[in-house]
Amino acid sequence: MLKKWIFMATLFGGLLAFAGCNSSPKQEEQQDSQTQTEEEQGFKWVVDRFADKRVLHYRIPDFDKLSLQQKKLVYYLTQAGLAGRDIMYDMNYRYNLAIRHAIDKIVKDYQGERNGADWDNFMLYAKNVWFSNGIHHHYSMDKFIPAFSKEYFQSLLKATGQELSEEVLTAMFDPKTDLKKVSLDPSKDLLLASAVNFYDPDISEKEALAYYKPIIDAGDKERPLSYGINTKVVRRPDGSIGEEVWKIDGMYGPAIAEIVKWLKKAREVAENEQQKHAFDLLIQYYQTGDLKTWDDYNIAWAQTTSGDVDYINGFVEVYNDPLGFKGSYETIVQIKDFEATKRMEVLSGNAQWFEDHAPYLPQHKKKKVKGITYNVVNVAGEAGDASPSTPIGVNLPNANWIRAEYGSKSVSLGNLIEAYFNAEGSGISKEFAYDEEEIERNEKYGQLADKLETALHEVIGHASGLIEPGVGTPKETLKNYASTLEEARADLVALYYIMDPKMVELGLMPNLEVGKAAYDRYILNGMMLQLRRIEPGKDIEEAHMRNRQLIAAWALEKAMPEGIITKEVRDGKTYFKIHDYEKLREIFGQLLREVQRIKSQGDYKAGHDLVENYGVKVDPELHEEVLRRVAPLNIAPYSGFVNPRLVPVTDENGEITDIKVEYPDSFVEQMLEYAEKYSFLKVRQ
Ligand code: ZN
């Protein structure tokens, strides 16, 4: 069920991405249509804009309402998170740290000409690398090819007293070397085609799977450990395969020692005994690398629900590993959003109703839906794989058996979503909506539609459905299509219910106009808008994007002959106009039943056909049109964030008396500050 972490789910983004989600997407999307209030205009939401990206601010609401002890807890947890920042760079690619350190020093110290095309291209490259925690695009996975020459770069190195090996320079400049961070192309060896640093470069997919097979076979089937989640697979001098464990006295040790140092401080100001116990286990896990301890920690963490402060810290999401074993380092520090959480409890309280009314075959419904929780939190700090590009929702832990037996925590990152909304104008809606009615509906209900879709996707969607007895997990049966189909199921659950009068009855939305806004946005995004993130001539590769096109294209194929949706062309511009929202809902219901059947029965052939026929190929004409229409809007497809800076205030004895929040307004300065404070790993040359 696990999936890549980057993406999110929102409508114009389609369902925002969720991190975690047994699938976790990271935010990539665009919001539009929200106008700023006067108060919000006083806060500068957009900090930087370059390439296909923009960097935003987020605020920490209600920080001052926390007790001093809670503020300290938040502060220590953000420090623990940042302490591991280097780890993510090294995980993404074996030369990333060498390259980043060189870049950091040049940007900080270079005394020569800091103007002109070469310098600008260098700075663009630097920002791209910082944004992606490495030299590959965080979303497309493609390597950034510098627009400056190797000679120019070498002159910058020399001028700042640095040197890089020929191997590192080749990694940077050779357009044939390590082009893809993560390749999911089933026609190639997934590991040899991927640059990610979880396996030694010469280890093949076949070898890695052969290494893990006996380990998995010998393990507990009911409650499997997270094999390989905290190790790098390496080739020993004798040619055999082994693992290097990420722990305090192992690989990444110096950074992990710092993480542990701050976690110990956090432990001292824990909000309750359960939270303290979870910290003890996490510290123990970082000290030993023991996978049983990792499970124990996750159970303790999942059961710690009473505090106002929560966090994610560890090697968590497995999307960056083409084989799905290795956890990427990440941290998110969260403060509960009380009001929104209360509203959403309504949804989880009715989980069984949703399961009972799902359009599944009867044998694919859960008699008892368990462990659903949903919380809206506000982020106080992020690091590793969650920063600068971030998920906007998280659903953890990932282990299915822990989720089933102990429950899971699903959170929506409220202040980040708010920042996305506020950073956007209404340009996209005006360009792509069919008529005024659609624009107005979107302005009025678009934000609520996104929030509810996200909630339904996470709380109801990912928890729903039953695998038939004797059928393996979707990861086993559906293989590389499992993530896309899991996301499709979750999105379809959200789409199916967001047009259900039950949502109005529950007081979650004022009327079904919200659902209509959701449908307008979904079809538009799935068919058109998301194509702006694909280069001409390329296929869709990312699971969440595949799932969105799959759903939109399949629905369109069924809806168009009936006149439920029509494709209108006006002044050379394409629009999709929905005429009957109720009937479209039925179509989503049919697809939902089929996707659940595929998952429940492990029908690889049907899953393969659905994804390949509807989710992968791009209509080249429509694609070209989208790029042409979006270009004048100058919108960045991807967003990331600078973190607020938490600054302890101390008295004459050095005791912390308060924690102040500052909002840095330069992405470059934050990256240099982090390099200065949190570079704990040795550079691989
Ligand atoms: Zn999801």
Side-chain angles (χ1 to χ4, degrees), residues 1 3-4 7-9 15-25 319 393 395 454 457-458 461-462 483 486-488 490-491 544 547:
M1 298 216 339
K3 224 247 98 157
K4 185 153 196 172
F7 318 81
M8 52 183 284
L15 285 185
L16 293 184
F18 287 67
C21 264
N22 316 5
S23 62
S24 69
Y319 315 119
N395 183 342
T454 301
H457 174 110
E458 288 286 330
H462 280 309
S483 293
E486 172 61 25
E487 289 315 304
D491 266 11
H544 291 78
N547 124 59

Short mmCIF file of all heavy atoms in Angstrom, two decimals, residues 1 3-4 7-9 15-25 319 393 395 454 457-458 461-462 483 486-488 490-491 544 547, ligand 1:
data_model
loop_
_atom_site.label_atom_id
_atom_site.label_comp_id
_atom_site.label_asym_id
_atom_site.label_seq_id
_atom_site.Cartn_x
_atom_site.Cartn_y
_atom_site.Cartn_z
N MET A 1 0.82 -1.18 0.00
CA MET A 1 0.00 0.00 0.00
C MET A 1 0.87 1.25 0.00
O MET A 1 0.38 2.32 -0.29
CB MET A 1 -0.84 0.06 1.25
CG MET A 1 -1.76 -1.10 1.31
SD MET A 1 -3.35 -0.91 1.96
CE MET A 1 -3.51 0.40 2.94
N LYS A 3 3.29 4.21 -0.74
CA LYS A 3 3.46 4.91 -1.97
C LYS A 3 4.30 6.09 -1.81
O LYS A 3 4.63 6.44 -0.73
CB LYS A 3 2.11 5.33 -2.41
CG LYS A 3 1.97 5.09 -3.78
CD LYS A 3 1.89 6.35 -4.42
CE LYS A 3 3.13 6.75 -4.94
NZ LYS A 3 3.24 7.56 -5.87
N LYS A 4 4.50 6.71 -2.84
CA LYS A 4 5.46 7.72 -2.84
C LYS A 4 5.09 8.91 -2.05
O LYS A 4 3.96 9.24 -2.00
CB LYS A 4 5.55 8.22 -4.20
CG LYS A 4 6.60 9.15 -4.22
CD LYS A 4 7.06 9.13 -5.56
CE LYS A 4 8.32 9.73 -5.58
NZ LYS A 4 9.12 9.83 -6.44
N PHE A 7 3.28 13.51 -2.68
CA PHE A 7 2.28 14.21 -3.43
C PHE A 7 1.06 14.44 -2.64
O PHE A 7 0.90 13.94 -1.63
CB PHE A 7 1.99 13.41 -4.56
CG PHE A 7 3.27 13.02 -4.92
CD1 PHE A 7 3.88 11.98 -4.27
CD2 PHE A 7 4.05 13.78 -5.72
CE1 PHE A 7 5.17 11.69 -4.57
CE2 PHE A 7 5.33 13.47 -6.00
CZ PHE A 7 5.87 12.44 -5.44
N MET A 8 0.18 15.18 -3.08
CA MET A 8 -0.91 15.51 -2.26
C MET A 8 -2.13 15.53 -3.01
O MET A 8 -2.17 15.30 -4.15
CB MET A 8 -0.72 16.83 -1.90
CG MET A 8 -0.53 17.43 -3.14
SD MET A 8 -0.23 18.98 -2.84
CE MET A 8 -1.48 19.62 -2.48
N ALA A 9 -3.12 15.80 -2.33
CA ALA A 9 -4.32 15.69 -3.00
C ALA A 9 -5.02 16.98 -2.91
O ALA A 9 -5.42 17.38 -1.89
CB ALA A 9 -5.11 14.75 -2.24
N LEU A 15 -6.64 15.28 -5.89
CA LEU A 15 -6.53 15.08 -4.48
C LEU A 15 -5.14 15.45 -4.12
O LEU A 15 -4.22 15.06 -4.76
CB LEU A 15 -6.76 13.68 -4.15
CG LEU A 15 -8.20 13.49 -4.27
CD1 LEU A 15 -8.56 12.12 -3.86
CD2 LEU A 15 -8.91 14.46 -3.43
N LEU A 16 -5.00 16.18 -3.09
CA LEU A 16 -3.69 16.58 -2.69
C LEU A 16 -2.96 15.38 -2.33
O LEU A 16 -3.49 14.39 -2.01
CB LEU A 16 -3.78 17.34 -1.44
CG LEU A 16 -4.45 18.57 -1.70
CD1 LEU A 16 -4.43 19.31 -0.44
CD2 LEU A 16 -3.76 19.33 -2.71
N ALA A 17 -1.77 15.56 -2.26
CA ALA A 17 -0.97 14.44 -1.99
C ALA A 17 -0.94 14.21 -0.56
O ALA A 17 -0.96 15.09 0.23
CB ALA A 17 0.36 14.77 -2.36
N PHE A 18 -0.73 13.06 -0.23
CA PHE A 18 -0.64 12.71 1.12
C PHE A 18 0.61 12.04 1.40
O PHE A 18 1.00 11.19 0.70
CB PHE A 18 -1.63 11.66 1.38
CG PHE A 18 -2.75 12.35 1.34
CD1 PHE A 18 -3.16 12.90 0.14
CD2 PHE A 18 -3.36 12.67 2.46
CE1 PHE A 18 -4.21 13.66 0.16
CE2 PHE A 18 -4.42 13.42 2.44
CZ PHE A 18 -4.85 13.91 1.32
N ALA A 19 1.16 12.33 2.47
CA ALA A 19 2.36 11.67 2.79
C ALA A 19 1.90 10.61 3.63
O ALA A 19 1.13 10.77 4.48
CB ALA A 19 3.12 12.54 3.64
N GLY A 20 2.35 9.52 3.50
CA GLY A 20 1.93 8.54 4.42
C GLY A 20 0.91 7.80 3.76
O GLY A 20 1.22 6.97 3.03
N CYS A 21 -0.25 8.05 3.90
CA CYS A 21 -1.24 7.44 3.13
C CYS A 21 -0.84 6.13 2.74
O CYS A 21 -0.71 5.84 1.64
CB CYS A 21 -1.25 8.03 1.78
SG CYS A 21 -2.18 9.20 1.27
N ASN A 22 -0.47 5.38 3.28
CA ASN A 22 0.00 4.16 2.74
C ASN A 22 0.30 4.56 1.39
O ASN A 22 0.30 3.87 0.51
CB ASN A 22 -1.05 3.14 2.58
CG ASN A 22 -1.80 3.18 3.75
OD1 ASN A 22 -1.59 3.97 4.54
ND2 ASN A 22 -2.64 2.33 3.88
N SER A 23 0.43 5.67 1.27
CA SER A 23 0.60 6.24 0.03
C SER A 23 0.86 7.57 0.48
O SER A 23 0.23 8.05 1.28
CB SER A 23 -0.69 6.34 -0.56
OG SER A 23 -1.39 7.16 0.22
N SER A 24 1.80 8.26 0.12
CA SER A 24 1.78 9.53 0.65
C SER A 24 2.25 10.44 -0.36
O SER A 24 3.27 10.32 -0.84
CB SER A 24 2.74 9.60 1.70
OG SER A 24 3.87 9.53 1.13
N PRO A 25 1.54 11.28 -0.65
CA PRO A 25 1.93 12.18 -1.65
C PRO A 25 2.42 13.40 -1.02
O PRO A 25 2.08 13.72 0.07
CB PRO A 25 0.66 12.51 -2.29
CG PRO A 25 -0.33 11.83 -1.49
CD PRO A 25 0.29 11.10 -0.40
N TYR A 319 8.60 5.46 -0.81
CA TYR A 319 8.42 5.77 -2.24
C TYR A 319 9.70 6.02 -2.99
O TYR A 319 9.72 5.90 -4.21
CB TYR A 319 7.56 7.02 -2.41
CG TYR A 319 6.38 7.03 -1.53
CD1 TYR A 319 6.21 8.02 -0.60
CD2 TYR A 319 5.44 6.01 -1.62
CE1 TYR A 319 5.12 8.02 0.23
CE2 TYR A 319 4.36 6.01 -0.79
CZ TYR A 319 4.21 7.01 0.14
OH TYR A 319 3.14 7.01 0.96
N GLY A 393 -0.78 15.93 3.86
CA GLY A 393 -1.51 15.02 4.72
C GLY A 393 -0.62 13.83 5.01
O GLY A 393 0.25 13.50 4.21
N ASN A 395 -0.58 9.80 6.82
CA ASN A 395 -1.30 8.69 7.41
C ASN A 395 -0.30 7.61 7.76
O ASN A 395 0.28 6.98 6.88
CB ASN A 395 -2.34 8.18 6.41
CG ASN A 395 -3.19 7.07 6.97
OD1 ASN A 395 -2.83 6.44 7.97
ND2 ASN A 395 -4.32 6.81 6.34
N THR A 454 -9.82 15.62 0.78
CA THR A 454 -8.63 15.14 1.45
C THR A 454 -9.00 14.27 2.64
O THR A 454 -8.45 13.18 2.83
CB THR A 454 -7.79 16.35 1.94
OG1 THR A 454 -7.44 17.14 0.81
CG2 THR A 454 -6.53 15.89 2.62
N HIS A 457 -10.49 10.96 1.43
CA HIS A 457 -9.43 10.17 0.84
C HIS A 457 -8.63 9.45 1.93
O HIS A 457 -8.41 8.25 1.88
CB HIS A 457 -8.53 11.10 0.02
CG HIS A 457 -7.29 10.48 -0.55
ND1 HIS A 457 -7.11 10.25 -1.89
CD2 HIS A 457 -6.14 10.08 0.04
CE1 HIS A 457 -5.92 9.72 -2.10
NE2 HIS A 457 -5.31 9.61 -0.94
N GLU A 458 -8.23 10.22 2.93
CA GLU A 458 -7.36 9.66 3.98
C GLU A 458 -8.12 8.78 4.96
O GLU A 458 -7.71 7.66 5.23
CB GLU A 458 -6.71 10.81 4.76
CG GLU A 458 -5.65 11.55 3.99
CD GLU A 458 -4.37 10.74 3.87
OE1 GLU A 458 -4.08 9.95 4.77
OE2 GLU A 458 -3.69 10.90 2.85
N GLY A 461 -11.10 6.54 2.61
CA GLY A 461 -10.56 5.89 1.42
C GLY A 461 -9.49 4.85 1.70
O GLY A 461 -9.61 3.70 1.31
N HIS A 462 -8.44 5.26 2.40
CA HIS A 462 -7.34 4.32 2.61
C HIS A 462 -7.66 3.23 3.61
O HIS A 462 -6.94 2.24 3.70
CB HIS A 462 -6.08 5.08 3.03
CG HIS A 462 -5.35 5.70 1.87
ND1 HIS A 462 -5.01 4.98 0.75
CD2 HIS A 462 -4.91 6.95 1.66
CE1 HIS A 462 -4.38 5.78 -0.11
NE2 HIS A 462 -4.32 6.99 0.42
N SER A 483 0.43 0.98 -5.99
CA SER A 483 0.31 2.34 -5.47
C SER A 483 -0.74 3.14 -6.22
O SER A 483 -1.57 3.82 -5.62
CB SER A 483 1.65 3.07 -5.60
OG SER A 483 2.59 2.49 -4.77
N GLU A 486 -4.14 1.90 -5.28
CA GLU A 486 -4.50 2.30 -3.92
C GLU A 486 -4.94 3.77 -3.89
O GLU A 486 -5.94 4.13 -3.28
CB GLU A 486 -3.33 2.06 -2.97
CG GLU A 486 -3.50 2.62 -1.56
CD GLU A 486 -4.68 2.03 -0.79
OE1 GLU A 486 -5.09 0.89 -1.12
OE2 GLU A 486 -5.21 2.72 0.11
N GLU A 487 -4.19 4.61 -4.57
CA GLU A 487 -4.56 6.02 -4.63
C GLU A 487 -5.89 6.20 -5.36
O GLU A 487 -6.71 7.03 -4.99
CB GLU A 487 -3.47 6.84 -5.33
CG GLU A 487 -2.21 7.00 -4.52
CD GLU A 487 -2.50 7.36 -3.08
OE1 GLU A 487 -3.20 8.36 -2.84
OE2 GLU A 487 -2.06 6.62 -2.20
N ALA A 488 -6.08 5.42 -6.42
CA ALA A 488 -7.32 5.52 -7.18
C ALA A 488 -8.50 5.14 -6.29
O ALA A 488 -9.54 5.81 -6.29
CB ALA A 488 -7.27 4.61 -8.41
N ALA A 490 -8.71 5.38 -3.06
CA ALA A 490 -8.93 6.43 -2.06
C ALA A 490 -9.57 7.67 -2.70
O ALA A 490 -10.50 8.26 -2.14
CB ALA A 490 -7.62 6.80 -1.37
N ASP A 491 -9.10 8.05 -3.87
CA ASP A 491 -9.69 9.19 -4.57
C ASP A 491 -11.16 8.91 -4.93
O ASP A 491 -12.02 9.77 -4.81
CB ASP A 491 -8.94 9.48 -5.88
CG ASP A 491 -7.85 10.54 -5.70
OD1 ASP A 491 -7.55 10.90 -4.55
OD2 ASP A 491 -7.33 11.02 -6.72
N HIS A 544 0.28 9.10 -8.27
CA HIS A 544 -0.91 9.92 -8.03
C HIS A 544 -1.42 10.56 -9.31
O HIS A 544 -2.62 10.70 -9.51
CB HIS A 544 -0.62 11.00 -6.99
CG HIS A 544 -0.40 10.44 -5.62
ND1 HIS A 544 0.78 9.86 -5.27
CD2 HIS A 544 -1.21 10.37 -4.55
CE1 HIS A 544 0.69 9.45 -4.02
NE2 HIS A 544 -0.50 9.74 -3.55
N ASN A 547 -3.14 7.92 -11.33
CA ASN A 547 -4.46 7.59 -10.78
C ASN A 547 -5.48 8.67 -11.16
O ASN A 547 -6.61 8.37 -11.50
CB ASN A 547 -4.31 7.39 -9.26
CG ASN A 547 -5.19 8.27 -8.42
OD1 ASN A 547 -6.41 8.22 -8.55
ND2 ASN A 547 -4.61 9.08 -7.60
ZN ZN B 1 -3.48 8.62 -0.63
#
